[in-house]
Amino acid sequence: MSFKMLTYITIACSCIYSVVWLLGSEGTAALGLTQEVGIITLTDLVSKLGFGLYFLFNYDAAMGDDDTDAQNQQSQQYV
């Protein structure tokens, strides 16, 4: 489930970038430069921080680390 959510975040932000480019000064110029920069900045924050924080808080589920105790016990036997 974690990889699906990370994929959805990436796809949604990529679509928003495309729409803003189309509506921005390079496309139809329907948005002003300030609005375009603001939307891109917010999308960047959601994309980078949202992806990073979601991955950080769901790291174990994303990596499938269910047997961390077994790994710790194996490494302790050589100490």
Side-chain angles (χ1 to χ4, degrees):
M1 182 65 184
S2 294
F3 285 123
K4 279 188 178 182
M5 185 58 127
L6 294 174
T7 303
Y8 294 150
I9 292 171
T10 304
I11 290 172
C13 289
S14 296
C15 290
I16 292 172
Y17 285 130
S18 301
V19 169
V20 170
W21 181 86
L22 184 65
L23 295 175
S25 58
E26 290 88 10
T28 60
L31 293 174
L33 185 60
T34 306
Q35 294 168 331
E36 181 182 359
V37 170
I39 293 170
I40 290 291
T41 302
L42 289 175
T43 306
D44 238 4
L45 286 173
V46 168
S47 176
K48 308 288 190 304
L49 286 176
F51 186 94
L53 289 175
Y54 186 84
F55 187 72
L56 179 68
F57 292 133
N58 295 302
Y59 179 76
D60 291 335
M63 290 295 138
D65 289 340
D66 295 334
D67 59 346
T68 56
D69 292 332
Q71 291 174 353
N72 288 338
Q73 288 175 356
Q74 288 175 354
S75 66
Q76 291 296 324
Q77 65 184 346
Y78 296 111
V79 175

